[in-house]
Amino acid sequence: MATIRKLRGRWQAQVRRRGVPPRAKSFDSKNEAERWARDLEAEADRSGWVADTRAAEKTTLGELLSRYANEVTPTKRGAVSERARINSIVRCTIAHRTLAKLTSSDIATYRDERLKAVAPATIVRELNTISHAIEVASREWGLWVPRNPVKLVRRPPVPRGRTRRFKDGEEDALLSACDRGRTPLLKPLIVIAIETGMRRGELLDLRWEYVDLKRCVGTHTTRTA
């Protein structure tokens, strides 16, 4: 049974369950205290224990994603792309929000702001990465969150894919533009991509051991985009 009381100008919520230490936290409003207590009681009813929210209260989304990038991302196909995606997310304001205070409204605001700068497909991938990081944190790292706020947010619709071919003169124009650019390796990357059909992740993960110069073929890479 939860106890809500006024204590030194703030509202304190306390949840007790037999056999486990009590959990208590203070809030500025009574509604916040009651909501926190309801979430803990619901978790206690499901699992029989009172969740410890202290780790989630101290861990920001940015810190979570950084740990995820170091421990989980390297095991994935497309690790290069996901690491770049995480680096982009942690530069945003939402990365400073603690997991305990992260809401679906925060996620929706992030989605709408990002849609002004990037494509819907990019947003969907970013939200999926945030969501999976929260799931891993909840299941394996002991950071208790009452619900995954990303799952409550609508994903933006993604346009159907299309097949795009070079028109007359476009390939020459693209390669000429590379010659005028500041990245010397961009042109050979584009030439390899045109000739092989490799995706970005495969190009960035290409190693000499995957290339057979005698037979003029390439072997498989370890990761794909």
Side-chain angles (χ1 to χ4, degrees):
M1 183 70 179
T3 300
I4 310 295
R5 62 173 180 164
K6 196 77 172 288
L7 182 66
R8 292 189 290 273
R10 303 189 74 199
W11 289 93
Q12 185 192 70
Q14 187 175 77
V15 177
R16 295 178 178 273
R17 279 290 190 276
R18 183 184 297 275
V20 295
R23 291 285 293 115
K25 187 178 179 183
S26 296
F27 298 87
D28 292 330
S29 72
K30 186 177 181 180
N31 286 339
E32 289 177 311
E34 290 174 340
R35 182 167 59 249
W36 180 83
R38 283 197 304 270
D39 287 338
L40 280 188
E41 287 187 317
E43 179 63 27
D45 290 339
R46 285 192 299 268
S47 60
W49 63 285
V50 178
D52 189 342
T53 63
R54 287 172 291 187
E57 292 164 4
K58 297 177 181 178
T59 304
T60 66
L61 177 60
E63 291 168 341
L64 169 65
L65 289 173
S66 295
R67 179 178 177 181
Y68 183 88
N70 291 330
E71 299 184 20
V72 179
T73 297
T75 68
K76 291 186 174 185
R77 297 164 65 92
V80 173
S81 298
E82 181 166 273
R83 189 175 294 276
R85 189 179 311 129
I86 290 174
N87 288 339
S88 176
I89 297 170
V90 298
R91 290 194 295 267
C92 296
T93 304
I94 196 174
H96 299 290
R97 189 68 109 177
T98 63
L99 296 180
K101 292 185 177 180
L102 187 66
T103 66
S104 57
S105 177
D106 295 324
I107 300 296
T109 299
Y110 170 80
R111 175 201 62 199
D112 295 342
E113 289 298 317
R114 288 288 285 158
L115 278 172
K116 299 175 183 178
V118 299
T122 300
I123 298 296
V124 171
R125 286 191 289 268
E126 290 178 354
L127 294 183
N128 289 343
T129 297
I130 296 172
S131 181
H132 190 245
I134 293 174
E135 291 294 318
V136 171
S138 298
R139 293 196 306 264
E140 302 180 16
W141 295 345
L143 279 77
W144 184 81
V145 179
R147 62 185 65 83
N148 187 337
V150 183
K151 292 186 175 181
L152 305 176
V153 174
R154 175 182 52 83
R155 304 297 202 268
V158 178
R160 295 180 60 185
R162 59 175 182 158
T163 300
R164 175 71 159 82
R165 305 291 184 185
F166 280 128
K167 297 180 181 179
D168 290 342
E170 286 186 336
E171 181 176 344
D172 292 337
L174 176 61
L175 296 179
S176 295
C178 291
D179 290 331
R180 299 191 298 271
R182 294 178 294 178
T183 306
L185 294 179
L186 181 59
K187 184 175 181 178
L189 278 173
I190 290 177
V191 171
I192 294 174
I194 293 172
E195 295 295 330
T196 64
M198 294 172 67
R199 293 175 290 180
R200 181 179 63 178
E202 294 170 322
L203 285 169
L204 295 178
D205 203 47
L206 188 62
R207 301 290 184 270
W208 277 114
E209 58 263 33
Y210 305 145
V211 180
D212 188 333
L213 293 176
K214 292 183 178 179
R215 294 191 300 151
C216 297
V217 298
T219 60
H220 70 280
T221 58
T222 57
R223 303 186 186 103
T224 57

